[in-house]
Amino acid sequence: MSGLNQPQREAIHYLDGPLLVLAGAGSGKTRVITQKIAYLVQSCGFNPRNIAAITFTNKAAKEMQERIGKLLSKQQADELQISTFHSLGVRILREEAKVLGYKPRFSIFDSADCAGIIGEAAGTVDKATLRIVQSTISNWKNGLITPEAARHLATDEHQKLAAHAFLSYEATLKAYQAVDFDDLIGLPVKLFSEHPEIADKWQNRLRYLLVDEYQDTNACQYQLLKLLTGVRAQFTAVGDDDQAIYGWRGADIENLKKLPTEFPALKVIKLEQNYRSTVRILKAANNVISHNEKLFDKKLWSDLGHGEQISVTACRDNDAEAEGVVMKLQAHKFEHRAKFKDFAILYRSNHQARIFEEYLRDHRIPYLLSGGKSFFDKAEIKDITAYLRLLANEDDDPAFIRAATTPKRGIGAATLQVLGIYAGERHISLFQAAFEEGFAHRVQPRQLEPLLEFCNFINRTQSRATKEPAHQVLPDLLKAIDYETFLYDHEEERTAQTRWANVCEFANWLNKKGELDNKTLVDLTQSIALINMLDKQTDEDYDAVQLSTLHAAKGLEYKNVFLVGVEEGILPHRESLDPTKLEEERRLMYVGITRAQRTLNISYCERRKQAREFVPCEPSRFIDEMGKEDVRFSGGKQDVPPSKATGSARLDAMKAMLAGNKR
């Protein structure tokens, strides 16, 4: 444990009761968690299988697993339960499914699947309305509010529509033997609350819990943790109230406030030494966050030196801002012989990225965009996944409908409608209903034949998919459904090529994962909704500028940060100007500042082009709050904007200088 500071060592060794570690940005919290796990196993006699470390993202879980792998033997590391909240929920539900009336092979529906069911229950196809209704239901579920309670809570038109749809939505999910992402936490809470003996079993199994990013927990996750820790309360919660930026998706900072009350024996240890940023950057961050009401007093400090002044630039408009950032980035890269991946451009909302992408492309600068459309959201991937879901669970009705009609195979809407009515009357799945004699009497033989052909094909493939390796079954499946021909028949050639290439990439990835983990196609499919595919765009060795929202950048760090669009109405957002929301926006600014290790460049526009008009802008109040002592201001109306020619000449001079140095 060399190289640890005193508070870090104290946090690792403390085992006398519940512990809250207040870990400021860059204070080494992941190191504390992994070292504590090693201490529990190596010095305290804990069996690795009795320890669970819970994170919020697959990436964080993977990083933690890799770090602990260097501290423990492979066998010990493999026995640990290091996962996201949702992965832990799946593990609990698979094992205890029967108690809740589910099969172990229940389906996990993604947001798009759920939207279809909610749209039907709410009787709407309007996308904006559907998004609000879906979000409302999700927030209710995360707040442990039942459909019955929701009816009484609903006030406005959208909430009443959501309350009306909620009960039907839940019943449909259950009928399909499916759960949504919120259920992966909510159902274990229900299970443990209603069955104390099962709660007791899991408390004995997971005897010590470590929870990362505790400030991001919602009401449901908080209850799950309480039920898992039980009266022993053997846990370490690591969090930072200054980085609580997910209130909009149900995270509740009150969970931090409640801890000392609900666990009177709670020990609080603060990690205030920052190992990431220079003194000036931390000073600005501390100044900004000091304007928020504090839950726990904490002040970050660093011994990494004063560092460069923070640059704040006023820009004429959007174009000038993007051009200025790109030119400054190029100049810094040549001057300091840096790599592109040393730079990040951070912004409040996704739409701000577009203009920076344009200028980066114009200057042939490689970049990676975080928060884009998920690979699994592509239509062609969802088509193939529908087949896989059906192989894993023949009661998955949405998957049945998608697979039966893509590609077209003579099963029409009229046939499916009759099938749906019959299945509803019999309270069975569409797949099961297709084989019943009662249904056969309701349709013509020409309607029944292609339906049975499809179902028999699924049965044959399912038999193989449960026994044979994935790489043997999947190519045969793709060939049998002739998906490539379907794409070329329905799309322009270039689009068809792209989509088929995506399918091949997906298939190769699944085959590889199946071989690596020795899993069948069904095994892989059961967890596919929780897997984040690590494609080439997330390769850490790829030398590219990172473009990211502030929310997506949390937990990451970059040598040089450009924080752009720091204006009133953007950061803080125009819809977040009431006091409670404003505090969260200020925490978002704090997160942005503390991503920077060496240099921080902040910019705002004096006017911003919206549609065809220019709208005047004001610098964000957060810029003033940083203080002026460590800030260098430039730009604005009085400054002459740098010309492209001047910028290019400077770059050429730097290139020549570097070339001379190499000789």
Side-chain angles (χ1 to χ4, degrees), residues 426-595:
R426 295 269 293 119
H427 302 289
I428 55 177
S429 68
L430 298 176
F431 188 89
Q432 193 180 339
F435 289 103
E436 293 209 346
E437 201 171 321
F439 167 69
H441 290 308
R442 298 191 185 186
V443 290
Q444 301 295 321
R446 59 181 173 79
Q447 292 175 289
L448 186 62
E449 191 179 334
L451 185 65
L452 287 178
E453 192 179 323
F454 168 71
C455 292
N456 286 322
F457 163 71
I458 294 295
N459 269 335
R460 288 194 303 276
T461 311
Q462 190 182 43
S463 175
R464 290 183 62 196
T466 54
K467 299 170 196 164
E468 298 175 29
H471 69 272
Q472 290 178 10
V473 183
L474 192 54
D476 291 349
L477 172 68
L478 291 173
K479 192 177 176 182
I481 65 175
D482 204 10
Y483 192 78
E484 186 178 10
T485 305
F486 161 75
L487 286 176
Y488 279 93
D489 285 348
H490 288 82
E491 304 281 1
E492 291 180 8
E493 188 174 356
R494 185 176 286 184
T495 307
Q497 279 175 346
T498 304
R499 292 182 67 185
W500 178 244
N502 287 337
V503 170
C504 292
E505 188 181 345
F506 178 54
N508 290 337
W509 174 74
L510 271 179
N511 290 337
K512 193 175 171 184
K513 193 162 179 64
E515 282 190 80
L516 203 64
D517 299 343
N518 195 27
K519 286 186 172 179
T520 65
L521 202 53
V522 164
D523 291 333
L524 290 173
T525 304
Q526 286 181 348
S527 58
I528 206 166
L530 292 172
I531 297 170
N532 273 344
M533 193 165 112
L534 295 169
D535 63 15
K536 57 185 177 287
Q537 287 210 330
T538 59
D539 188 345
E540 287 175 9
D541 294 329
Y542 188 52
D543 189 23
V545 175
Q546 184 69 52
L547 270 64
S548 173
T549 63
L550 288 165
H551 286 100
K554 185 167 164 284
L556 304 175
E557 56 188 38
Y558 307 94
K559 285 181 181 171
N560 311 288
V561 167
F562 291 88
L563 187 49
V564 301
V566 186
E567 298 148 30
E568 289 291 310
I570 296 179
L571 183 65
H573 196 273
R574 64 181 179 276
E575 291 174 10
S576 304
L577 296 178
D578 72 69
T580 53
K581 287 182 178 175
L582 186 62
E583 288 208 343
E584 183 156 319
E585 291 292 297
R586 187 172 283 113
R587 292 194 289 269
L588 199 55
M589 178 73 176
Y590 174 86
V591 165
I593 295 171
T594 54
R595 296 315 90 198

Side-chain angles (χ1 to χ4, degrees), residues 51 304 570:
I51 301 169
L304 297 175
I570 296 179

